[in-house]
Amino acid sequence: MAGDELVAEKLAIMSVASVLQACTGRLTMPIWPARPVSLQPEATLIRWRVFQTERNSRHFAGYCIESGKGRVSSAIVSFDFNTRTGVTRSGRRYVLAGRSEHDEEVEYVWWCWALFNGVKVTEDVSNEYDEPVH
């Protein structure tokens, strides 16, 4: 196995926090998996954004009120603009509260998720999900 392949294999089995630490040389904030959908079928996000990956999947990233932590969703499968609620591949419902905005913790969690999942290209498409300004 070539050196690059061996490194890639080792990184694939590390936790998100370990990958981040290996890439940056420091660990700034722990990353934890979300509770199972059966225990938390709905999450309300504030300071949220929506990102599209090079795989054409879109994901909510925001500060989850219920857990008090930054969160990245699985891929969005549907979104109801009237109720501001999206359903993701996991089956969890996400309610977007307020307008999209930048948040350092959310940005950190998004890039950790992207790094762990091998995402190299992202586009912020949050404006497509913002409520119209009246």
Side-chain angles (χ1 to χ4, degrees), residues 66-113:
E66 292 81 5
S67 70
K69 295 176 176 46
R71 165 89 55 98
V72 176
S73 74
S74 57
I76 301 167
V77 295
S78 66
F79 187 75
D80 183 327
F81 286 92
N82 293 322
T83 62
R84 318 270 309 128
T85 302
V87 177
T88 63
R89 185 179 301 140
S90 70
R92 191 179 325 265
R93 293 181 310 278
Y94 284 89
V95 178
L96 302 182
R99 296 183 58 77
S100 65
E101 63 180 274
H102 178 79
D103 180 83
E104 290 294 326
E105 182 176 345
V106 171
E107 185 89 6
Y108 174 85
V109 172
W110 168 252
W111 286 112
C112 287
W113 180 93

Side-chain angles (χ1 to χ4, degrees), residues 5 13 30 36 60 65 67 70 79 95 101 108 111 116 124 131:
E5 292 173 356
I13 60 174
F60 299 118
I65 292 174
S67 70
F79 187 75
V95 178
E101 63 180 274
Y108 174 85
W111 286 112
F116 185 73
D124 187 338
E131 295 177 288

Side-chain angles (χ1 to χ4, degrees), residues 11-24:
L11 286 177
I13 60 174
M14 293 175 149
S15 69
V16 173
S18 297
V19 170
L20 184 66
Q21 186 175 19
C23 292
T24 65

Side-chain angles (χ1 to χ4, degrees), residues 1-9:
M1 185 176 286
D4 287 345
E5 292 173 356
L6 183 58
V7 169
E9 183 178 318

